[in-house]
Each structure stands twice: as C-alpha cells, then as structure tokens.
Amino acid sequence: MQIITGFFIILAHLVAGNLLSGLLGGSVPGSVLGMILMFISLLTGLVKDYQIRRVATFLTDNMTIFFIPAFMGIMELWGIIRMNLFAWIAVVVISTILVLLVAACTQEGIESFISRINRRK
C-alpha cells in the first residue's frame, strides 16, 4: 500500500505542476513546477520523506527507461539530423561543457556558503 500511496503523491504533484504551468501560460514546464511543489511539500511536512522514498528510489534507479521515448524520437528524425550533424555535435558538446561548468560553480558556491555558516557557529 505504501508504494501505491507514494506513487499517487508523486503523480499528484506532477499533475498539479502541469495545471499550474497551464495557468502560467506554459512558460515553466509542469514537471519543474511539480518538483518545486514536491520540495515545498517536503519542507513544510505536508509530505513525509518515508511516504515517497521507495517509489522515488525505484524511479531514479530506473531512470534510463524514461529516455527511451526521446531516443526513439531522435531516431525518427535521423534524416534531418544527419544533414546538420556537425552542428548538432557542436551544440551537444558546448551545452555539456556549459552544464558541467555551471554545476561545478554551483557546487563551489554551496560549499563556500556552508563553510561560512559553519565558521559563524
């Protein structure tokens, strides 16, 4: 029963995020808003971590399943992609490097912030 409850909680937050996205005109994806709503629910104690832990662990452990539809979409458009293959490769490489740099800077900033907080104690 705990698995069904956890799945329902996660799904409810996703649906709420999609509804909110529709109300906002779709400027922010519903999945992102759903994650923000889930984060707020966890912070406020509306949802307890033990309620969703098993389902969340299962979903993150099997995340590769969710990339299959995107990969199939890419394969359907292979003819178009092949015409501009070097541009696509450049975009993928540049965006990957940018994501790595932003993630590294964010991690450094968080570690710096935490160390400053710890020094004040």
Side-chain angles (χ1 to χ4, degrees):
M1 188 67 169
Q2 183 181 9
I3 293 173
I4 294 171
T5 304
F7 185 74
F8 176 76
I9 291 170
I10 292 172
L11 190 60
H13 282 82
L14 175 63
V15 169
N18 284 330
L19 291 173
L20 187 58
S21 176
L23 292 173
L24 295 175
S27 58
V28 179
S31 57
V32 173
L33 291 174
M35 284 190 287
I36 292 170
L37 292 173
M38 177 64 78
F39 180 69
I40 292 169
S41 296
L42 286 166
L43 280 179
T44 59
L46 185 64
V47 173
K48 306 293 186 217
D49 64 340
Y50 67 86
Q51 293 175 304
I52 60 168
R53 180 176 287 132
R54 286 182 68 187
V55 175
T57 301
F58 172 78
L59 290 172
T60 53
D61 286 348
N62 298 292
M63 195 178 295
T64 54
I65 294 170
F66 300 111
F67 290 102
I68 292 172
F71 180 72
M72 295 309 296
I74 289 171
M75 296 313 297
E76 286 180 7
L77 298 173
W78 178 246
I80 296 170
I81 293 171
R82 187 177 48 178
M83 289 188 293
N84 299 311
L85 187 59
F86 292 115
W88 281 92
I89 291 172
V91 167
V92 168
V93 169
I94 291 169
S95 63
T96 301
I97 291 170
L98 288 174
V99 167
L100 288 172
L101 290 173
V102 169
C105 291
T106 302
Q107 180 67 30
E108 275 188 27
I110 290 171
E111 287 178 5
S112 172
F113 178 72
I114 290 172
S115 67
R116 277 187 274 146
I117 289 175
N118 288 338
R119 276 188 255 141
R120 290 182 184 170
K121 291 181 179 181

